[in-house]
Amino acid sequence: MNLSPPFFINNKDFDDKPKEACGVFGIFAPGEEVARLTFFGLYALQHRGQESCGIAAFDGGNVSLHKDLGLVSQVFNEDILLKLKGDLAVGHTRYSTTGSNNLKNAQPILVSYKNIKLVLAHNGNLVNATALRDFLIKKGHGFESTTDSEVMAKLIIHELSNGKELKLATHDAFKQCQGAFSVVIGTNEHLIAIRDPDGVRPLCLGINTKGQYIIASETCALDIIGASFVRDIAPGEILFINRLQKLDSNFFVPSIKPHHCIFELIYFSRPDSTFKGLSIYHFRKELGRQLAIESPIEADYVISVPDSGTPAAIGFAEESKLPFSEGLIKNRYIGRTFIQPSQMLRELGIRLKLNPLRDIIAGRRIVVVDDSIVRGNTSRKIVKLLRDSGAKEIHMRISSPPVQWPCFYGIDIDSRDQLIAAKNNTDEITKFIGADTLKYISHAGMIRATSLNRETFCTACFSGEYPINIPSELEGAKYRYENYEKITKN
Ligand code: SF4
């Protein structure tokens, strides 16, 4: 099966939210149907990547791997899961941030050296992948994909080929990596979790009722299989789990200064996942409260852009003492079709995704809360939809500061050209989207809403302050290896 991804996923007319890179999942559970558990784990992580997905299972020294383009529910069925036998499984769901969306770039990646087979699944982006890839090519390693994830896998193979055993080879490979990487690796003998020293992307350890360990991008993937959260994988940690469920933790850098992606709290993570013991839902409500304190407005209703804007809208409404109501109903299944819309349906644009509740909106002063504005096209369409539905006033409130800078740590914003706030001030954006007023939460307000220190977070896409140095050639470089291959072949 080789399907195109759902039609709206890459269609900027319908959806201009930033895209999270990937979700990863791993389980070492002898006696359990590990592929089936991984399937459900990936199902819970589907929001982190909707272009391709895959599961690899180890049965002794044999590895079965199935990966394809499409959503988890479309790529896997009973027959496929039954063929993925074993004690240990690693799964991945992907949105492309390095390399284009094709089957070769789907994960997990399978590599081998002598009798060692290894599968790797990665969330994040290496900032020094080009240099590492150049080095590996000079050493005679070939590449099948155009992803930085294969660079990591081949780096381990390179260290193994230098005569190191697996733990040292993995340790020495990841010491050379710079950027954002939350990684799950499976071998015949170990499940391995690795997180970059800044802890940019989330990665957690869970345990099932039989005392078997699970690694997942977010806690929601533990909940769905009845497992409990144990702890986060620490920034800079490399954790080996063996067949007896013994944990062996080491750090591959001497000092750790975490910079967690604050956009995970604002938008990327699922609201029922947790961060530092509190639900993401809690943080989003606090962002809404803070926004209401900073930018109050008289109105009849507070509505949200569903679903990601809803917790902040509830927080805004509570703080403002205004009624919250649903005002835009999301067509939840539109993203699950592979049927292309006709031209006439395409022209309806945002209406394919959102349907207004006219009896709530008509003649009313409406506050619309959303989590972010990236290109501005969707906000403009939402405002028009509300005007066409008879709204008297439309006040947009955004629970993140203006997105002005690209992200090089695993999000699909690699150039300032894509960002309306990089070139326009708030008045200009208000005019562009057609709202009566537009206000963003302040940078200080965003931090205050977390009740944590500014230093805890990466806020680079709002502030331009990058915690991990960025090589200048990276801007606009999602497809850098495709270009690289063209250059080296010519
Ligand atoms: S630049 Fe923005 S999206 Fe990227 S890691 Fe930092 S806060 Fe997250």
Side-chain angles (χ1 to χ4, degrees):
M1 183 169 65
N2 198 345
L3 301 167
S4 300
F7 71 83
F8 82 91
I9 296 296
N10 281 327
N11 192 323
K12 310 287 192 237
D13 290 341
F14 297 156
D15 185 4
D16 74 357
K17 290 291 178 197
K19 302 292 187 300
E20 174 61 273
C22 302
V24 296
F25 186 93
I27 181 165
F28 200 173
E32 298 297 313
E33 287 188 85
V34 288
R36 191 174 298 273
L37 293 169
T38 304
F39 169 85
F40 283 103
L42 292 183
Y43 214 93
L45 297 172
Q46 185 73 86
H47 61 289
R48 299 186 71 84
Q50 295 150 342
E51 288 187 350
S52 66
C53 57
I55 298 176
F58 276 86
D59 188 12
N62 297 322
V63 186
S64 334
L65 170 63
H66 183 83
K67 52 186 178 178
D68 212 331
L69 303 182
L71 302 174
V72 177
S73 58
Q74 289 155 335
V75 167
F76 292 97
N77 58 34
E78 281 289 341
D79 289 345
I80 292 167
L81 288 177
L82 286 172
K83 285 178 193 151
L84 296 169
K85 292 188 195 323
D87 298 333
L88 182 156
V90 170
H92 189 263
T93 178
R94 177 172 195 260
Y95 178 80
S96 53
T97 53
T98 305
S100 48
N101 176 33
N102 62 46
L103 189 52
K104 275 198 298 186
N105 286 345
Q107 298 188 32
I109 288 168
L110 170 63
V111 290
S112 60
Y113 177 72
K114 294 188 174 167
N115 60 347
I116 299 176
K117 291 189 180 119
L118 183 148
V119 294
L120 180 146
H122 166 218
N123 173 208
N125 240 21
L126 292 191
V127 297
N128 66 336
T130 304
L132 292 172
R133 188 179 158 107
D134 286 349
F135 165 78
L136 289 164
I137 287 172
K138 278 193 196 124
K139 293 287 178 187
H141 297 276
F143 284 84
E144 286 170 19
S145 75
T146 55
T147 65
D148 54 352
S149 314
E150 190 180 4
V151 171
M152 293 180 194
K154 292 284 163 68
L155 213 47
I156 301 172
I157 296 298
H158 178 69
E159 296 297 337
L160 287 169
S161 70
N162 285 336
K164 297 174 186 173
E165 51 80 38
L166 181 66
K167 279 190 187 167
L168 184 60
T170 310
H171 186 275
D172 288 354
F174 280 93
K175 250 183 3 193
Q176 301 168 60
C177 295
Q178 292 166 16
F181 45 96
S182 284
V183 176
V184 179
I185 294 174
T187 72
N188 182 25
E189 293 299 328
H190 292 100
L191 180 66
I192 308 164
I194 299 142
R195 197 170 178 204
D196 65 79
D198 291 81
V200 177
R201 299 278 148 238
L203 194 64
C204 65
L205 177 70
I207 194 164
N208 67 14
T209 50
K210 295 184 177 168
Q212 297 162 321
Y213 286 109
I214 298 119
I215 307 289
S217 290
E218 293 181 36
T219 59
C220 63
L222 304 176
D223 297 332
I224 198 171
I225 61 162
S228 313
F229 173 76
V230 175
R231 65 173 175 85
D232 285 321
I233 304 300
E237 183 178 9
I238 179 160
L239 178 70
F240 276 71
I241 303 164
N242 72 9
R243 186 168 291 277
L244 302 172
Q245 307 296 320
K246 185 169 168 288
L247 302 181
D248 179 4
S249 167
N250 283 290
F251 286 79
F252 56 95
V253 281
S255 68
I256 309 292
K257 285 193 214 126
H259 293 100
H260 307 301
C261 169
I262 202 162
F263 226 140
E264 292 278 351
L265 303 190
I266 294 165
Y267 171 67
F268 296 123
S269 292
R270 251 175 60 162
D272 51 338
S273 288
T274 60
F275 176 76
K276 296 199 181 287
L278 291 168
S279 69
I280 298 291
Y281 181 89
H282 161 87
F283 288 106
R284 289 185 188 158
K285 254 181 95 174
E286 290 305 307
L287 287 162
R289 281 186 193 286
Q290 189 61 39
L291 185 55
I293 293 166
E294 292 182 356
S295 301
I297 187 83
E298 285 194 13
D300 298 309
Y301 279 117
V302 178
I303 69 168
S304 70
V305 178
D307 292 318
S308 53
T310 301
I314 293 171
F316 190 102
E318 282 182 7
E319 186 64 38
S320 313
K321 306 212 170 7
L322 291 172
F324 169 81
S325 172
E326 292 195 67
L328 295 165
I329 302 300
K330 188 173 177 177
N331 182 352
R332 292 181 197 285
Y333 300 98
I334 197 75
R336 304 193 187 162
T337 178
F338 285 105
I339 307 299
Q340 296 289 322
S342 66
Q343 187 54 36
M344 188 272 282
L345 286 174
R346 274 181 189 280
E347 281 161 15
L348 287 176
I350 197 75
R351 273 174 188 263
L352 280 175
K353 279 189 81 177
L354 297 173
N355 207 14
L357 285 175
R358 284 181 185 76
D359 46 349
I360 295 294
I361 294 161
R364 303 256 164 61
R365 300 167 300 168
I366 302 289
V367 182
V368 193
V369 180
D370 201 356
D371 52 79
S372 56
I373 297 180
V374 179
R375 294 172 195 83
N377 297 330
T378 301
S379 304
R380 183 184 168 113
K381 286 172 184 166
I382 287 168
V383 170
K384 179 162 188 320
L385 197 59
L386 295 170
R387 289 247 186 261
D388 290 349
S389 304
K392 197 160 119 198
E393 291 173 18
I394 301 168
H395 303 282
M396 285 290 275
R397 294 292 181 270
I398 308 299
S399 64
S400 66
V403 182
Q404 292 179 295
W405 300 90
C407 173
F408 302 101
Y409 310 141
I411 299 302
D412 185 37
I413 306 173
D414 64 357
S415 160
R416 297 195 82 194
D417 295 345
Q418 306 162 19
L419 305 171
I420 191 170
K423 295 180 217 141
N424 299 278
N425 63 32
T426 303
D427 287 347
E428 289 163 335
I429 300 170
T430 311
K431 208 166 159 195
F432 175 77
I433 66 173
D436 292 288
T437 67
L438 163 67
K439 300 283 180 192
Y440 295 86
I441 196 170
S442 68
H443 194 278
M446 171 179 71
I447 299 294
R448 205 171 300 124
T450 69
S451 306
L452 294 163
N453 291 333
R454 156 83 182 80
E455 291 68 36
T456 312
F457 296 106
C458 171
T459 63
C461 50
F462 308 117
S463 63
E465 292 165 23
Y466 291 92
I468 307 165
N469 280 345
I470 306 298
S472 57
E473 72 269 16
L474 271 194
E475 188 152 346
K478 175 180 171 184
Y479 301 105
R480 56 190 178 271
Y481 300 142
E482 276 91 338
N483 295 335
Y484 177 95
E485 284 186 341
K486 273 179 212 138
I487 292 161
T488 52
K489 277 178 191 157
N490 287 340

